[in-house]
Amino acid sequence: MHRTTHILCALAFALALHPHFASAQGLIAIRGAVIETVGKEGTLENGTLLVRNGKIEAIGKEIDIPVSARIVDGRGLTIIPGIVDPYYVVQVARSAEAAAETRTIVVRGRTFNIGGGSPAIPTSFARIADGITISTLDWQVARRSGITNLHVVTGGYAQSLFAQLGKPGDNDRATAEITEPNGKMLVTVSNDSRSLDVVRNGLKDPQARGGGGRGAPAAGGSSNGAPSSGTPSTGAPATGPASQGAAPATSAPASGSSELWKLVREGKSPMFVNVNNAAAILHTLTALKEADTAKVAFIASGADIFVTLDDLDAARQTIVLPPRLDTIPNSANLVNVPKLLAEKKIPFVFSTSLGQSDFRNQQDTPLFGVGLLVRAGLDRKLALEALTLAPAKLLGLDASVGTLEVGKLANFIILDGDPFATTTGIKEIFVDGKPIYEN
């Protein structure tokens, strides 16, 4: 009996020292790193992060590390929370809304009706969770760029979903899982009256609309819709031309969207509005007068935000931007729009996926654009928050992600240097305490 006990104890000790055993127990300690908590602990020099079973168990400078933990030497490395992308665009299958329309032309006195109207922003309501198979989408660029949590969106009028990257699949294929299929209200707005009517009618109190059936179609909408030109495939704000057709001003929100609009009107959930020019921002701000508690997250170019800066309300609007320096309209001069927003106390967040060219080309140094903004005067703390905590708060996810704090999910990035240095790259990414990417 004594011999058997001795052998078992020796075996247990040997397994505790084996890294695969420690990983199986979900117990990892990273020590000696610079830890940017983006939380109340601030920046920890020579800090230790202890992870157990997918969550942060302890974080600080003086942490007792269990003997069974897999210890990772973090000297010379920096740890930051995983990036929360607030506007990650995917393509959702829709029939062409314009195909049901016709346009009339006259040639040498003869009139012709041609099927298929002008390309239009879709104004029929769609749930992204019903329109995609998440396992078939390519998440590789997102993973290589340090994104751990995503607000998955599409162009037009829809309901978003929340997703989180998962452990690698076959052949190290990047995967993701839906964490919440019922996300936020999405609307793409141009100068087109139909897209604007979606916002106007949704923000009106149902009684002010004179009733209207719960299942009535959205303004100008048929049962199907086509994504606006360029938006789903590129991830950039919509730039496609819009149809000029107008819808009745009394149209009720589409079936399935009524509860979402109620949350927006009551200020309990922000509406994400993708605008393709400065005029669309001003039109939307006018529509917001229908509901004085509604809040909006504008997805826009820095140039359009620069033009409308004095019209924005810090209490009701958040700006979603690609992290880059912009050019002042009709000028060659560069402008740091996030810095201007910060000076006016207007909340802003970064979506690194919005600028698709930079997003794909800067995978080795994914924070390069944010670093440029910091070197051009943007506060470093605000820049880091705009990638992590601020979007988590905007989406209502800050109880579990966005900062490195005890009890939160162990979603974090290990960098090989200062986050905003020119050449800093990702060394490893963890989600739920498990490594999902190693460079």
mmCIF file of all heavy atoms in Angstrom, residues 402-421:
data_model
loop_
_atom_site.group_PDB
_atom_site.id
_atom_site.type_symbol
_atom_site.label_atom_id
_atom_site.label_comp_id
_atom_site.label_asym_id
_atom_site.label_seq_id
_atom_site.Cartn_x
_atom_site.Cartn_y
_atom_site.Cartn_z
ATOM 1 N N GLY A 402 -13.244 43.171 -22.427
ATOM 2 C CA GLY A 402 -12.890 44.582 -22.578
ATOM 3 C C GLY A 402 -11.787 45.048 -21.654
ATOM 4 O O GLY A 402 -11.082 46.003 -21.969
ATOM 5 N N THR A 403 -11.651 44.392 -20.494
ATOM 6 C CA THR A 403 -10.573 44.691 -19.565
ATOM 7 C C THR A 403 -10.039 43.379 -19.013
ATOM 8 O O THR A 403 -10.668 42.325 -19.147
ATOM 9 C CB THR A 403 -11.049 45.566 -18.385
ATOM 10 O OG1 THR A 403 -12.053 44.857 -17.645
ATOM 11 C CG2 THR A 403 -11.616 46.884 -18.866
ATOM 12 N N LEU A 404 -8.864 43.447 -18.398
ATOM 13 C CA LEU A 404 -8.290 42.283 -17.728
ATOM 14 C C LEU A 404 -8.519 42.451 -16.232
ATOM 15 O O LEU A 404 -7.807 43.193 -15.553
ATOM 16 C CB LEU A 404 -6.799 42.164 -18.055
ATOM 17 C CG LEU A 404 -6.470 41.992 -19.542
ATOM 18 C CD1 LEU A 404 -4.965 41.943 -19.756
ATOM 19 C CD2 LEU A 404 -7.135 40.733 -20.101
ATOM 20 N N GLU A 405 -9.549 41.788 -15.723
ATOM 21 C CA GLU A 405 -9.926 41.877 -14.321
ATOM 22 C C GLU A 405 -10.355 40.503 -13.818
ATOM 23 O O GLU A 405 -10.820 39.654 -14.600
ATOM 24 C CB GLU A 405 -11.066 42.873 -14.140
ATOM 25 C CG GLU A 405 -10.710 44.305 -14.509
ATOM 26 C CD GLU A 405 -11.871 45.258 -14.291
ATOM 27 O OE1 GLU A 405 -12.090 45.657 -13.131
ATOM 28 O OE2 GLU A 405 -12.561 45.597 -15.270
ATOM 29 N N VAL A 406 -10.226 40.306 -12.533
ATOM 30 C CA VAL A 406 -10.599 39.035 -11.917
ATOM 31 C C VAL A 406 -12.070 38.719 -12.208
ATOM 32 O O VAL A 406 -12.946 39.571 -12.052
ATOM 33 C CB VAL A 406 -10.357 39.066 -10.393
ATOM 34 C CG1 VAL A 406 -10.913 37.812 -9.725
ATOM 35 C CG2 VAL A 406 -8.865 39.209 -10.101
ATOM 36 N N GLY A 407 -12.312 37.495 -12.648
ATOM 37 C CA GLY A 407 -13.668 37.046 -12.930
ATOM 38 C C GLY A 407 -14.088 37.190 -14.374
ATOM 39 O O GLY A 407 -15.072 36.585 -14.803
ATOM 40 N N LYS A 408 -13.358 38.001 -15.157
ATOM 41 C CA LYS A 408 -13.716 38.166 -16.564
ATOM 42 C C LYS A 408 -13.120 37.043 -17.404
ATOM 43 O O LYS A 408 -12.209 36.321 -16.977
ATOM 44 C CB LYS A 408 -13.244 39.527 -17.079
ATOM 45 C CG LYS A 408 -14.068 40.695 -16.552
ATOM 46 C CD LYS A 408 -13.806 41.959 -17.344
ATOM 47 C CE LYS A 408 -14.726 43.087 -16.937
ATOM 48 N NZ LYS A 408 -14.555 44.298 -17.773
ATOM 49 N N LEU A 409 -13.644 36.916 -18.637
ATOM 50 C CA LEU A 409 -13.114 35.911 -19.549
ATOM 51 C C LEU A 409 -11.645 36.189 -19.835
ATOM 52 O O LEU A 409 -11.239 37.345 -19.986
ATOM 53 C CB LEU A 409 -13.900 35.905 -20.858
ATOM 54 C CG LEU A 409 -15.372 35.474 -20.787
ATOM 55 C CD1 LEU A 409 -15.997 35.549 -22.177
ATOM 56 C CD2 LEU A 409 -15.500 34.068 -20.233
ATOM 57 N N ALA A 410 -10.878 35.131 -19.941
ATOM 58 C CA ALA A 410 -9.446 35.264 -20.238
ATOM 59 C C ALA A 410 -9.251 35.385 -21.743
ATOM 60 O O ALA A 410 -8.731 34.494 -22.408
ATOM 61 C CB ALA A 410 -8.675 34.074 -19.673
ATOM 62 N N ASN A 411 -9.713 36.509 -22.290
ATOM 63 C CA ASN A 411 -9.530 36.842 -23.701
ATOM 64 C C ASN A 411 -8.465 37.930 -23.769
ATOM 65 O O ASN A 411 -8.718 39.076 -23.371
ATOM 66 C CB ASN A 411 -10.831 37.354 -24.320
ATOM 67 C CG ASN A 411 -11.915 36.301 -24.401
ATOM 68 O OD1 ASN A 411 -11.720 35.169 -23.973
ATOM 69 N ND2 ASN A 411 -13.063 36.658 -24.946
ATOM 70 N N PHE A 412 -7.289 37.588 -24.250
ATOM 71 C CA PHE A 412 -6.203 38.564 -24.246
ATOM 72 C C PHE A 412 -5.196 38.276 -25.347
ATOM 73 O O PHE A 412 -5.180 37.192 -25.950
ATOM 74 C CB PHE A 412 -5.504 38.611 -22.880
ATOM 75 C CG PHE A 412 -4.931 37.304 -22.414
ATOM 76 C CD1 PHE A 412 -3.640 36.919 -22.742
ATOM 77 C CD2 PHE A 412 -5.689 36.442 -21.623
ATOM 78 C CE1 PHE A 412 -3.106 35.721 -22.305
ATOM 79 C CE2 PHE A 412 -5.166 35.245 -21.168
ATOM 80 C CZ PHE A 412 -3.872 34.880 -21.511
ATOM 81 N N ILE A 413 -4.370 39.290 -25.610
ATOM 82 C CA ILE A 413 -3.342 39.226 -26.653
ATOM 83 C C ILE A 413 -1.981 39.407 -26.001
ATOM 84 O O ILE A 413 -1.805 40.292 -25.161
ATOM 85 C CB ILE A 413 -3.547 40.338 -27.699
ATOM 86 C CG1 ILE A 413 -4.975 40.315 -28.258
ATOM 87 C CG2 ILE A 413 -2.534 40.219 -28.833
ATOM 88 C CD1 ILE A 413 -5.323 41.559 -29.062
ATOM 89 N N ILE A 414 -1.030 38.597 -26.398
ATOM 90 C CA ILE A 414 0.355 38.771 -25.971
ATOM 91 C C ILE A 414 1.125 39.375 -27.138
ATOM 92 O O ILE A 414 1.194 38.784 -28.225
ATOM 93 C CB ILE A 414 0.988 37.435 -25.543
ATOM 94 C CG1 ILE A 414 0.189 36.808 -24.397
ATOM 95 C CG2 ILE A 414 2.440 37.651 -25.107
ATOM 96 C CD1 ILE A 414 0.718 35.461 -23.943
ATOM 97 N N LEU A 415 1.669 40.574 -26.926
ATOM 98 C CA LEU A 415 2.406 41.300 -27.954
ATOM 99 C C LEU A 415 3.898 41.235 -27.663
ATOM 100 O O LEU A 415 4.314 41.080 -26.511
ATOM 101 C CB LEU A 415 1.956 42.761 -28.004
ATOM 102 C CG LEU A 415 0.466 43.006 -28.292
ATOM 103 C CD1 LEU A 415 0.114 44.450 -27.952
ATOM 104 C CD2 LEU A 415 0.129 42.697 -29.741
ATOM 105 N N ASP A 416 4.701 41.399 -28.710
ATOM 106 C CA ASP A 416 6.154 41.322 -28.518
ATOM 107 C C ASP A 416 6.786 42.674 -28.198
ATOM 108 O O ASP A 416 8.005 42.833 -28.267
ATOM 109 C CB ASP A 416 6.827 40.682 -29.730
ATOM 110 C CG ASP A 416 6.596 41.452 -31.020
ATOM 111 O OD1 ASP A 416 6.132 42.612 -30.957
ATOM 112 O OD2 ASP A 416 6.845 40.885 -32.105
ATOM 113 N N GLY A 417 5.960 43.645 -27.831
ATOM 114 C CA GLY A 417 6.489 44.956 -27.458
ATOM 115 C C GLY A 417 5.361 45.899 -27.100
ATOM 116 O O GLY A 417 4.222 45.482 -26.867
ATOM 117 N N ASP A 418 5.658 47.180 -27.072
ATOM 118 C CA ASP A 418 4.650 48.189 -26.788
ATOM 119 C C ASP A 418 3.541 48.118 -27.832
ATOM 120 O O ASP A 418 3.823 48.022 -29.029
ATOM 121 C CB ASP A 418 5.298 49.578 -26.812
ATOM 122 C CG ASP A 418 4.300 50.677 -26.520
ATOM 123 O OD1 ASP A 418 3.665 51.168 -27.474
ATOM 124 O OD2 ASP A 418 4.148 51.036 -25.342
ATOM 125 N N PRO A 419 2.260 48.176 -27.419
ATOM 126 C CA PRO A 419 1.156 48.012 -28.378
ATOM 127 C C PRO A 419 1.201 48.949 -29.567
ATOM 128 O O PRO A 419 0.808 48.577 -30.673
ATOM 129 C CB PRO A 419 -0.085 48.274 -27.513
ATOM 130 C CG PRO A 419 0.336 47.959 -26.129
ATOM 131 C CD PRO A 419 1.782 48.340 -26.041
ATOM 132 N N PHE A 420 1.694 50.178 -29.355
ATOM 133 C CA PHE A 420 1.628 51.180 -30.415
ATOM 134 C C PHE A 420 2.976 51.494 -31.050
ATOM 135 O O PHE A 420 3.106 52.472 -31.786
ATOM 136 C CB PHE A 420 0.975 52.450 -29.870
ATOM 137 C CG PHE A 420 -0.394 52.195 -29.292
ATOM 138 C CD1 PHE A 420 -0.744 52.699 -28.053
ATOM 139 C CD2 PHE A 420 -1.326 51.430 -29.986
ATOM 140 C CE1 PHE A 420 -1.994 52.457 -27.507
ATOM 141 C CE2 PHE A 420 -2.584 51.173 -29.457
ATOM 142 C CZ PHE A 420 -2.922 51.689 -28.222
ATOM 143 N N ALA A 421 3.972 50.657 -30.775
ATOM 144 C CA ALA A 421 5.246 50.810 -31.476
ATOM 145 C C ALA A 421 5.076 50.357 -32.924
ATOM 146 O O ALA A 421 4.251 49.489 -33.235
ATOM 147 C CB ALA A 421 6.331 49.996 -30.781
#
